Amino acid sequence: MNGSENWQHVCVDMQRMFSEDTPWHVPWINGVKDQIVEVSSRHATKTIFTRFVPPRKAADAYGSWRAYYEKWWMMTREHLSNDLVDVLPELRRLVPPARVFDKTGYSPWLDGRLNATLRNEGVTMLAISGGETDVCVLATMLGAIDLGYRVVILEDAICGSADETHEAALKILGGRFSVQLQVVSTEAFLANV
């Protein structure tokens, strides 16, 4: 890592609906929360929180997302408190100067706002934390690589719902994308920025 590189920390979907008692609860969030709070607190001006925002009701979703939300109807905003869509309270207190970007799918890149913002600011490297490794974090990483960003994965600051898929995703990404992606600990990252 180059300490003078223009970077941002993208914290993926550390939201209450994944940390609290909902059908989408991710128990591993508690294992990575301290590292994410540490990075975000030290570098709040360089932190962006993404939020996965479900539609108001399943009928509002397009294509296969409609069937998805027909299955997960209880996670639509018609049934889910808006408070549960927000980032964890420990992270919410950092906004501003940290920023929030909402998304309606797994990837934060589809509507172009995040990429346009980062390009406008001259960002070349992204440090990624959050959840889930094999879904939204994966979509964030692959999109960032496609867009030409150098990616640093904070391996002890990302989590999934299953150890097997989390570990498999890290192994594949660390090996397959080794030129464009680096996997490091939060401590090593913080020591070099």
Side-chain angles (χ1 to χ4, degrees):
M1 281 176 292
N2 176 353
S4 64
E5 193 167 7
N6 190 357
W7 63 274
Q8 287 282 300
H9 167 224
V10 177
C11 179
V12 179
D13 303 355
M14 287 295 287
Q15 296 164 256
R16 291 180 55 195
M17 66 181 171
F18 301 120
S19 72
E20 297 184 19
D21 186 19
T22 74
W24 288 351
H25 176 69
V26 179
W28 288 264
I29 279 181
N30 287 329
V32 299
K33 183 169 51 174
D34 289 346
Q35 293 88 310
I36 291 171
V37 169
E38 182 69 20
V39 173
S40 302
S41 297
R42 283 202 210 179
H43 297 285
T45 61
K46 290 185 162 287
T47 294
I48 294 170
F49 299 114
T50 65
R51 297 189 316 176
F52 183 80
V53 181
R56 168 90 26 228
K57 55 188 180 219
D60 295 341
Y62 177 76
S64 64
W65 282 106
R66 180 172 291 172
Y68 181 84
Y69 284 111
E70 286 169 353
K71 175 182 177 178
W72 296 106
W73 59 268
M74 73 296 291
M75 297 303 290
T76 60
R77 287 182 292 124
E78 181 176 49
H79 301 281
L80 188 68
S81 160
N82 281 335
D83 292 344
L84 290 177
V85 175
D86 205 3
V87 296
L88 302 178
E90 303 94 309
L91 303 174
R92 171 47 68 189
R93 68 178 176 77
L94 301 172
V95 178
R99 297 176 281 181
V100 175
F101 275 78
D102 290 343
K103 58 194 179 87
T104 58
Y106 302 134
S107 174
W109 306 108
L110 295 180
D111 70 6
R113 290 178 309 118
L114 180 57
N115 185 45
T117 298
L118 296 173
R119 291 275 191 246
N120 188 51
E121 295 171 2
V123 173
T124 57
M125 191 266 281
L126 300 176
I128 298 177
S129 67
E132 293 186 55
T133 311
D134 55 345
V135 184
C136 293
V137 169
L138 179 63
T140 302
M141 290 187 275
L142 291 176
I145 289 169
D146 277 344
L147 290 166
Y149 295 99
R150 194 166 72 78
V151 175
V152 175
I153 301 302
L154 305 180
E155 66 182 330
D156 55 345
I158 62 170
C159 66
S161 290
D163 289 342
E164 183 179 322
T165 55
H166 168 81
E167 295 298 329
L170 276 178
K171 183 177 180 181
I172 290 167
L173 291 165
R176 180 78 184 209
F177 298 99
S178 61
V179 172
Q180 297 156 310
L181 179 141
Q182 185 178 7
V183 179
V184 301
S185 70
T186 301
E187 182 179 4
F189 173 75
L190 289 171
N192 285 290
V193 293

